[in-house]
Amino acid sequence: MVKRLFFCLFMWGMCSGLSAQILEGPLPFFRSFLDGNLTKITFPEPNEPGASGWDSKGNYKRKNRAAESVWGLQLTEGKEEIGAFYLPEYIFSTEDGLLIEFEYIMMYTNVGEAGVTDGICMFLVDATTNEYIGANLKYGAEGAGFGYTHRRSAHTDIRYGVTSITGIKGGYLAVALDQGHFKNWRFDNYEMRNGIPYGSAGIANIQSETYNTRSNVTIRGAAGRDEKVITTSQKTHRIQDGRWGFPVLITRHTGWNEKTGLEDPYSDGLRNKAGFRLNTQTGEYEQYVTPRIDKPFCIAGGKEFHHSGESAYRKAIIALEPNIVGGGFRITVTIQHETEKTVVIEDYTYPSSLQYTENGLPFQLVAGEYPTVVYYSNPPQTELALERPSKLVIGFMASTGQLTAYTNIIRNLRITPLYGASSEDDIYDHRRGPVIVRPLDNDVAYQLGGDRPNASYDNLDLTSFRMWIDEKHCLGNGVFEYEEEGVGKWKYDPESGEMMFFPEKGVGGEVVIWYDVKGKHTPYAEEKYRSSLAKIVINLIDDEG
């Protein structure tokens, strides 16, 4: 028998007359985004909906473009688009931490295009009150802002095509699959945004243009709260809530070279040179390239895929661990490319206060036939202080710029408490006839011990196994048998952890059942630490002659 772990499209018919529990609500969360199930998912509107001009039909360009597709939840397809969604009913306590996993497709919409684009980000928003969520959650600047940050523009007339935009108010953190712009300092007549300055003469803390790479993982911090007062030698500036903050905290290049297509895997290349981290005490960026990346890869797979054995396969794994000393989180970001998992950012500590350079000070527009702008080439540093909120809500966005039509898709989204049980999909090839498999062998639960809880299969409570018909319908606790007419019978053994399947005569192809499980040790035996859904797929093939 060959066991293959990969993504698989399938159809599963429900048994007529079956009475199953319908469970939704608190974490864990799982959606494939392949079955049309978009319940309890909200698609927010933009701040300043007209801030980027008009489309050819006389409508505002700034709209939420998220829509279903056969490949998952498609966030963007064209130019100057944002697709955004968040999960308002899946608020989580920051005391537990969080593990976020999702597959993603990033590719040029038109094969002939090769312009600059942006990417996908996961964001967190303060959910302690309703001040920033519900109808109050609105996304920010498109393009390099990824919908998360603010943007300061020198143009106040919409006819110029670009005006200032408020970022996500109450935003706490954004982790981006960054094709190059989310990390960058922007400074011209059209756009000013905080970030890392590369190669611009006269700018403080400048970094070599060589390190201004595409294909990165980039993390930005919190939105500025309330009004910010910044005093310079010229005047005192008052900047409103959502129009300051969002500093770049850390960025790492993954090693892909846009000129050659791939760096030499036997040399360091830029993947172990092009990385920077904000010194939260001095407010300046310092080169930071830990851990080593031994195998270069592009953050975008570049085309659709079905399973992890394909070169285009991409999966993001984001771990947020509460930082007991000093607040914030310790953040680890891993990208799976094909079957290999590469840690790009490891144990980055997000503090509760920091210094950074605010590149969004109000400017002076000097009137004339061609208005000119007087602005600060070296704006001052300021403090951003924010204790980790006790509750956060999670969302996702993708963004494209002016030059490139790009398709961004998310699917198979799993969200669990950081030390919740972890379940992996299990896909088997098997000859026709009765089947016995062990789906939990690649799953783990946690037990307290040492500095951090320990993960092991031995920590699983085999009796906590629950079968699901599909993503919404659970058979309930202690129900270990399920039969579907015309397909076959599933039977789980809670003592051995084995799953048996008895197909009806003549049944072939794929048969599927879903499951979840949890740990047996306190506190991880609690329901909130139950795994997200995983599936068992058995591909019944004809006997070889």
Side-chain angles (χ1 to χ4, degrees):
M1 181 179 70
V2 177
K3 179 176 179 180
R4 297 173 296 156
L5 296 178
F6 63 87
F7 174 81
C8 176
L9 297 175
F10 64 88
M11 296 295 293
W12 179 257
M14 286 185 60
C15 176
S16 61
L18 177 70
S19 178
Q21 286 179 269
I22 299 178
L23 300 179
E24 291 191 26
L27 299 176
F29 174 93
F30 174 82
R31 291 287 171 84
S32 67
F33 294 128
L34 295 166
D35 63 352
N37 181 13
L38 297 177
T39 59
K40 298 192 175 183
I41 291 174
T42 297
F43 300 91
E45 296 299 314
N47 283 316
E48 290 84 40
S52 291
W54 305 78
D55 64 21
S56 59
K57 297 180 180 180
N59 300 313
Y60 285 133
K61 287 182 180 179
R62 284 174 54 76
K63 292 182 178 179
N64 194 334
R65 304 292 184 174
E68 296 176 67
S69 82
V70 296
W71 294 97
L73 184 53
Q74 182 167 316
L75 300 178
T76 66
E77 182 179 19
K79 300 178 181 180
E80 294 187 88
E81 290 187 347
I82 282 182
F85 71 95
Y86 83 109
L87 311 174
E89 297 188 40
Y90 292 86
I91 295 170
F92 72 97
S93 167
T94 56
E95 294 179 359
D96 295 327
L98 206 63
L99 182 67
I100 305 110
E101 304 170 85
F102 58 93
E103 296 174 339
Y104 64 92
I105 295 171
M106 298 168 69
M107 63 182 186
Y108 290 106
T109 302
N110 302 315
V111 177
E113 286 201 42
V116 178
T117 186
D118 297 295
I120 296 172
C121 79
M122 179 280 298
F123 65 91
L124 302 176
V125 173
D126 184 353
T128 306
T129 68
N130 291 326
E131 183 178 1
Y132 300 112
I133 60 174
N136 294 319
L137 195 152
K138 299 181 185 299
Y139 61 80
E142 76 284 353
F146 277 49
Y148 182 68
T149 75
H150 68 307
R151 178 180 74 202
R152 173 73 65 179
S153 172
H155 291 296
T156 56
D157 190 328
I158 198 169
R159 289 173 297 178
Y160 286 98
V162 180
T163 59
S164 296
I165 295 173
T166 302
I168 288 185
K169 294 183 178 181
Y172 179 72
L173 179 73
V175 178
L177 312 172
D178 178 13
Q179 301 219 45
H181 286 166
F182 193 60
K183 64 180 174 17
N184 285 22
W185 168 290
R186 300 295 293 272
F187 202 81
D188 55 36
N189 287 348
Y190 293 94
E191 188 169 355
M192 285 164 276
R193 181 184 285 109
N194 305 323
I196 302 172
Y198 295 96
S200 299
I203 304 298
N205 195 212
I206 187 109
Q207 306 300 333
S208 170
E209 184 64 31
T210 302
Y211 298 145
N212 187 10
T213 55
R214 297 177 65 184
S215 188
N216 314 272
V217 173
T218 302
I219 300 176
R220 281 188 180 263
R225 298 284 186 91
D226 304 320
E227 182 182 74
K228 181 71 172 179
V229 178
I230 299 178
T231 300
T232 67
S233 58
Q234 289 89 350
K235 63 182 298 186
T236 296
H237 302 272
R238 297 183 179 276
I239 312 175
Q240 301 305 308
D241 183 9
R243 297 256 178 157
W244 62 283
F246 310 98
V248 170
L249 303 177
I250 188 172
T251 188
R252 286 290 311 280
H253 178 47
T254 67
W256 178 71
N257 187 305
E258 62 181 294
K259 294 180 180 178
T260 64
L262 186 69
E263 289 183 358
D264 181 354
Y266 300 103
S267 70
D268 254 2
L270 290 176
R271 65 188 180 279
N272 293 310
K273 296 177 182 177
F276 294 92
R277 179 175 65 175
L278 178 68
N279 184 319
T280 57
Q281 302 298 313
T282 67
E284 297 192 342
Y285 289 99
E286 302 171 342
Q287 191 173 30
Y288 187 80
V289 289
T290 301
R292 282 185 55 83
I293 295 175
D294 292 324
K295 183 179 179 180
F297 66 94
C298 180
I299 196 68
K303 60 183 179 180
E304 300 102 335
F305 56 82
H306 291 92
H307 58 81
S308 61
E310 299 178 50
S311 61
Y313 182 87
R314 292 295 184 272
K315 179 181 180 180
I317 306 166
I318 304 169
L320 305 174
E321 181 180 4
N323 181 29
I324 305 303
V325 179
F329 284 110
R330 290 201 294 261
I331 306 167
T332 296
V333 183
T334 303
I335 304 297
Q336 181 175 343
H337 44 108
E338 200 167 349
T339 58
E340 182 159 343
K341 293 181 180 180
T342 298
V343 178
V344 182
I345 293 175
E346 185 173 34
D347 269 353
Y348 172 75
T349 300
Y350 179 14
S352 56
S353 65
L354 55 85
Q355 292 287 320
Y356 79 102
T357 300
E358 176 52 60
N359 185 29
L361 297 183
F363 46 81
Q364 180 181 357
L365 192 64
V366 179
E369 182 178 359
Y370 299 100
T372 58
V373 179
V374 177
Y375 48 73
Y376 295 93
S377 60
N378 281 300
Q381 289 186 6
T382 190
E383 181 182 16
L384 176 63
L386 180 66
E387 294 294 331
R388 184 182 71 229
S390 61
K391 294 181 180 179
L392 290 165
V393 70
I394 186 170
F396 297 83
M397 288 182 289
S399 178
T400 61
Q402 297 176 344
L403 304 178
T404 308
Y406 210 79
T407 295
N408 291 291
I409 296 172
I410 285 177
R411 69 187 190 200
N412 285 336
L413 171 61
R414 303 177 189 273
I415 307 172
T416 56
L418 182 60
Y419 297 119
S422 174
S423 56
E424 296 278 352
D425 289 347
D426 302 275
I427 301 179
Y428 304 86
D429 284 348
H430 199 282
R431 294 182 181 181
R432 291 180 189 244
V435 181
I436 300 177
V437 296
R438 296 183 56 84
L440 301 183
D441 280 0
N442 60 339
D443 299 343
V444 298
Y446 288 86
Q447 182 179 16
L448 292 173
D451 294 337
R452 292 176 177 172
N454 301 311
S456 173
Y457 164 84
D458 294 332
N459 296 328
L460 290 170
D461 176 3
L462 301 186
T463 66
S464 71
F465 184 96
R466 298 189 308 190
M467 288 193 284
W468 293 65
I469 300 168
D470 57 24
E471 296 177 27
K472 296 181 66 175
H473 298 87
C474 178
L475 297 181
N477 294 321
V479 180
F480 298 137
E481 294 186 18
Y482 169 63
E483 184 170 3
E484 183 183 8
E485 184 178 356
V487 176
K489 181 178 181 179
W490 298 89
K491 185 174 181 179
Y492 171 75
D493 185 343
E495 293 186 4
S496 67
E498 292 179 340
M499 173 68 88
M500 292 164 279
F501 177 69
F502 305 93
E504 292 198 8
K505 186 177 180 179
V507 170
E510 293 176 353
V511 291
V512 182
I513 195 77
W514 296 71
Y515 75 92
D516 62 20
V517 69
K518 63 185 179 72
K520 62 185 177 183
H521 299 294
T522 303
Y524 306 117
E526 297 177 22
E527 278 299 313
K528 69 177 180 179
Y529 293 108
R530 183 176 285 275
S531 74
S532 64
L533 293 184
K535 63 179 177 286
I536 304 168
V537 179
I538 298 175
N539 182 31
L540 295 170
I541 57 179
D542 291 330
D543 292 342
E544 297 179 1

